[in-house]
Amino acid sequence: MNKSEEDRPDAAEGSSEERAMEEFAQRPTTMPDIGVDLRGFATEDQAKAVGAGVLSTLHALGKILNLKRLRQVIVAYDYDAALAELDRGTLLPTKALTATKDEIAVGIAMAPKVLRDGETACVMVLNAAHMSVLAQTDNPELAALRDEMTYTLAHECGHVHDLDVQESSFPNVILRTALPFKDGILFYIASGCWEEYIACRLSAFFGTETTLRAYQDTFCVALQSGKERADAAIRQYRMHHDVGRVANEVAEVYKRVLVYASYLFGHLDGLDASVADKAPKALQEVASRPCFELFFARLHGELRALYATYNQWKSIDIFEPLKRLAYDVLKTGGIDIQDRPGGAGYVDIPFTPETIPTLVEQAAFLAARQSGNLL
């Protein structure tokens, strides 16, 4: 065999790669022609460069994911203000949009649902301080950060893609249908789990080992502090007696645990990888909390079952199994939420040693009440 014959396989492989790149370049995009709303930039040139970087990335992602329900892209240095000012377009009560900012994670991007011109859509809100690296393509030291921002955009595009599936499966429900007290809380948890699972699954191929490590670590921290935080909220309830407040506080705590597990599951399933092989730390953390161990496996099973019928759903009832899981988690965590005739809610909160206020907590509560600083 001569030298030219030895080289042919590589040459053929290169041609195949070139053809694939050419095919991708010619593929139509689902990214709407909407431009980017750029806020708070120091110069117009900087704004244009970042806007071009974001748009080109979204244009490419729109060849893989369905972005037809994306109505606006906002890239703002004051990310918190951009979220707070966003008009959701619905008459239903909605939680204020705020960036994740706690001991576990800091949010830099969101794709909230809105109603625009009678249609359910998404607005993508991005933190300009982080997205600015997309304009600095000539700096090799920022390559890892550019990859991270590309993944972030892919994840948010996963939310846009999923909205179209949901809206096609049960039209005129999202942001239009008010749920009674119990269903509202349980659906809030269930839908949060599904939406992060599917966004992670759809965008997993853009992630890195850092992405996986971050998802495992955030879940572990949320699980480590979950029960203690929920018990503390219930102890405060014994003193302030606000049922609605404690129900929402405890639901938020356990939603955080379940949602961070869903991030991890979605990413791993998108990579066709197992928790045991790729996230053993998460399994060890779950094993140390037997009360959550069954819920962990059950959550993964329910999310996979939803994915197995994706694009074939007939109604919002598809989320009922996840809602039942959320109810069981909350009940195990100390609150039993029930509906009463007329949509009024009832919450049973049994006494346990972990949910009885300590003398220190009682003294602090009384001092805060007397000083007028009680929340």
Side-chain angles (χ1 to χ4, degrees), residues 323-375:
K323 286 168 61 180
R324 287 194 293 271
L325 183 147
Y327 171 79
D328 291 342
V329 169
L330 293 180
K331 188 172 181 180
T332 300
I335 63 171
D336 184 0
I337 302 175
Q338 297 292 340
D339 280 326
R340 287 289 186 265
Y346 170 78
V347 181
D348 181 36
I349 306 177
F351 281 92
T352 62
E354 299 87 358
T355 61
I356 298 174
T358 65
L359 291 175
V360 172
E361 288 171 329
Q362 293 178 53
F365 181 86
L366 290 173
R369 185 167 64 182
Q370 289 170 359
S371 66
N373 293 326
L374 188 63
L375 295 178

Side-chain angles (χ1 to χ4, degrees), residues 31 34-39 54-55 58 70-75 122-126 153:
M31 173 66 184
I34 55 176
V36 181
D37 183 355
L38 301 158
R39 303 179 185 178
V54 170
L55 270 182
L58 292 176
L70 184 59
R71 291 293 180 272
Q72 185 180 12
V73 179
I74 301 171
V75 185
C122 276
V123 172
M124 196 176 291
V125 186
L126 309 169
L153 290 176

Side-chain angles (χ1 to χ4, degrees), residues 123-141:
V123 172
M124 196 176 291
V125 186
L126 309 169
N127 190 319
H130 295 268
M131 291 295 150
S132 61
V133 298
L134 294 175
Q136 303 175 54
T137 55
D138 57 346
N139 188 341
E141 294 181 359

Side-chain angles (χ1 to χ4, degrees), residues 194 197 299-310 313 318 321:
W194 164 255
Y197 172 84
L299 174 63
H300 200 180
E302 296 295 2
L303 291 168
R304 282 177 160 175
L306 276 171
Y307 185 76
T309 58
Y310 200 42
W313 300 345
I318 193 73

Side-chain angles (χ1 to χ4, degrees), residues 64-65 158 161-162 165 193-205 262 265-272 299-313 318-319 321-322:
I64 304 167
L65 298 169
H161 179 102
D162 179 59
V165 175
C193 290
W194 164 255
E195 288 169 9
E196 296 305 345
Y197 172 84
I198 191 60
C200 285
R201 183 160 185 158
L202 292 172
S203 60
F205 57 96
S262 301
F265 290 145
H267 188 70
L268 290 172
D269 286 352
L271 299 175
D272 196 23
L299 174 63
H300 200 180
E302 296 295 2
L303 291 168
R304 282 177 160 175
L306 276 171
Y307 185 76
T309 58
Y310 200 42
N311 283 310
Q312 302 171 32
W313 300 345
I318 193 73
F319 291 112
L322 273 182

Side-chain angles (χ1 to χ4, degrees), residues 216 219-224 257-258 260-261 264-265 275 279-300:
Q216 178 176 231
F219 165 68
C220 289
V221 174
L223 182 59
Q224 288 165 2
V257 176
L258 294 171
Y260 280 132
L264 180 61
F265 290 145
V275 180
K281 180 182 172 184
L283 283 185
Q284 292 169 7
E285 202 63 54
V286 169
S288 70
R289 288 163 176 78
C291 64
F292 190 77
E293 194 166 8
L294 289 177
F295 293 127
F296 187 72
R298 181 176 161 193
L299 174 63
H300 200 180

